[in-house]
Amino acid sequence: MRVLGIDPGTAVTGYGVVRREGTGIALSECGVIRTKAREPLASRLEEIYEGVRELIARHKPDAVAVEDVFYARNVRTTVVLGHARGVILLAAQQAGLPLHEMPPAVIKKAVTGTGNATKEQVQFMVAKLLRLKKAPEPADASDGVAAALACCMAPVLPSVADALAALPRARAMRT
Amino acid sequence: MRVLGIDPGTAVTGYGVVRREGTGIALSECGVIRTKAREPLASRLEEIYEGVRELIARHKPDAVAVEDVFYARNVRTTVVLGHARGVILLAAQQAGLPLHEMPPAVIKKAVTGTGNATKEQVQFMVAKLLRLKKAPEPADASDGVAAALACCMAPVLPSVADALAALPRARAMRT
């Protein structure tokens, strides 16, 4: 099972691809999709959409895990973030992939054991769980990896069970 | 000049296509893209995206006018609406079309003369300006038409001037 995890953002969208390997989990790739602040929103959305489509084409994940909107931020920022999430969900849907949406606190809890972990704690545990010498940089990339890890590590949650149940269908739609 | 106006919504996205005809403006088509509430958000976003792409392919507009988010609503609703706007902006961007984003009050003012007009006033003026026997139904369709009208009727606004300036490029990108 291979999962693409995404931490959406209009300026920086973090991502990570992890795969189950025997009894452990290994990192395939992580990084960020960066857009230019001076570009119009529509053009930045296209870059994010193309970036996610390219990742799906390259890694052929079995599921996509996307961090949910964090509502405590500034409303305007949150709404613009909604635009970015929209084109990410669209890319996953078009690839016929099961989608796993998780609030930041659920991802943090799955990876560190506590829902209000700091960015540093998340980075530390991401490195630990994947046996990396140091945590992925920038923190957005770590957050993308954390989303993928949370999806892999919680196969008892109903939503992941749904994702697993949907796998043969998703594979069929790709071929 | 032909303009596609859109009033975004996850459940109902209203649209209208208007064209300049001599000294007046005529309606080419209007309607709504309706999605099912029981479908997952990603699937609804795909329907909206495909619907807008189909409208662009059929009418070959010179510009797209999209109603801006109205921030006074419930925050969660507004963020979900942001997702829908995201895939609409993406469709316009992919077609290389100049995009004209307008707050609801600006559209209302352009069409009725007042920024706090009621839905009924907007519908009345849309019918009047386009010499229709009755206003487009549902109100979402009228709102889509109003966005297109506001874009057509306000060629002195800088953003529309930008849109007009960008037209040859947009045409070139389409051919």
Side-chain angles (χ1 to χ4, degrees):
Chain A
M1 184 174 177
R2 196 180 288 266
V3 178
L4 166 62
I6 301 178
D7 174 28
T10 3
V12 183
T13 288
Y15 68 85
V17 181
V18 304
R19 57 183 194 279
R20 277 190 189 284
E21 211 165 60
T23 54
I25 300 174
L27 179 67
S28 294
E29 184 190 327
C30 69
V32 294
I33 302 167
R34 226 179 261 278
T35 66
K36 294 193 187 76
R38 62 167 184 275
E39 292 283 322
L41 178 59
S43 149
R44 300 172 81 181
L45 293 175
E46 190 181 27
E47 277 183 59
I48 295 166
Y49 171 78
E50 290 300 340
V52 173
R53 276 177 70 95
E54 203 247 301
L55 284 170
I56 290 174
R58 188 142 43 91
H59 291 284
K60 301 194 177 13
D62 301 295
V64 178
V66 183
E67 190 171 307
D68 220 334
V69 170
F70 177 52
Y71 284 97
R73 294 187 206 178
N74 168 289
V75 178
R76 205 189 139 72
T77 312
T78 314
V79 171
V80 175
L81 179 61
H83 287 62
R85 276 191 98 250
V87 303
I88 292 166
L89 299 194
L90 176 68
Q93 173 71 20
Q94 288 178 326
L97 295 175
L99 188 71
H100 194 64
E101 301 183 60
M102 287 172 297
V106 171
I107 296 175
K108 285 179 182 171
K109 188 162 170 63
V111 175
T112 69
T114 168
N116 54 13
T118 62
K119 281 218 171 280
E120 291 70 30
Q121 281 176 285
V122 171
Q123 288 189 297
F124 177 84
M125 282 307 297
V126 161
K128 193 96 175 166
L129 289 164
L130 293 167
R131 300 167 305 279
L132 308 172
K133 283 189 182 139
K134 60 190 202 64
E137 290 281 358
D140 310 82
S142 268
D143 286 344
V145 177
L149 278 175
C151 183
C152 269
M153 290 164 63
V156 290
L157 290 179
S159 40
V160 177
D162 290 349
L164 290 168
L167 279 184
R169 183 179 148 264
R171 281 211 185 92
M173 286 177 75
R174 264 216 315 280
T175 52
Chain B
M1 186 175 177
R2 196 180 288 265
V3 178
L4 165 61
I6 301 178
D7 174 29
T10 5
V12 183
T13 288
Y15 68 85
V17 182
V18 304
R19 58 183 192 280
R20 275 189 190 285
E21 211 165 59
T23 54
I25 300 174
L27 179 66
S28 294
E29 184 190 328
C30 69
V32 293
I33 302 166
R34 226 178 261 277
T35 65
K36 295 194 186 77
R38 64 167 185 276
E39 292 283 320
L41 178 59
S43 149
R44 301 173 80 181
L45 293 174
E46 190 181 27
E47 277 183 60
I48 295 166
Y49 171 78
E50 290 301 340
V52 173
R53 275 176 70 95
E54 204 246 300
L55 284 170
I56 291 174
R58 190 142 43 90
H59 291 283
K60 305 197 174 10
D62 301 294
V64 178
V66 183
E67 191 173 307
D68 220 334
V69 170
F70 177 54
Y71 284 97
R73 295 186 207 180
N74 166 291
V75 178
R76 204 186 140 72
T77 311
T78 314
V79 172
V80 174
L81 179 61
H83 287 61
R85 276 190 100 250
V87 302
I88 293 166
L89 299 194
L90 176 67
Q93 173 72 20
Q94 288 178 325
L97 294 176
L99 188 70
H100 193 64
E101 301 182 60
M102 287 173 296
V106 170
I107 296 175
K108 284 179 183 171
K109 190 164 169 59
V111 175
T112 69
T114 168
N116 53 15
T118 62
K119 279 215 174 284
E120 291 70 31
Q121 282 176 285
V122 172
Q123 288 190 298
F124 177 83
M125 282 307 297
V126 162
K128 192 95 177 163
L129 289 163
L130 293 166
R131 299 169 305 279
L132 307 172
K133 283 190 183 138
K134 60 189 203 68
E137 290 280 357
D140 310 83
S142 269
D143 287 345
V145 177
L149 278 175
C151 183
C152 269
M153 290 163 62
V156 290
L157 289 178
S159 38
V160 177
D162 290 348
L164 289 168
L167 280 184
R169 184 179 147 263
R171 281 213 185 92
M173 286 177 73
R174 264 215 315 280
T175 52

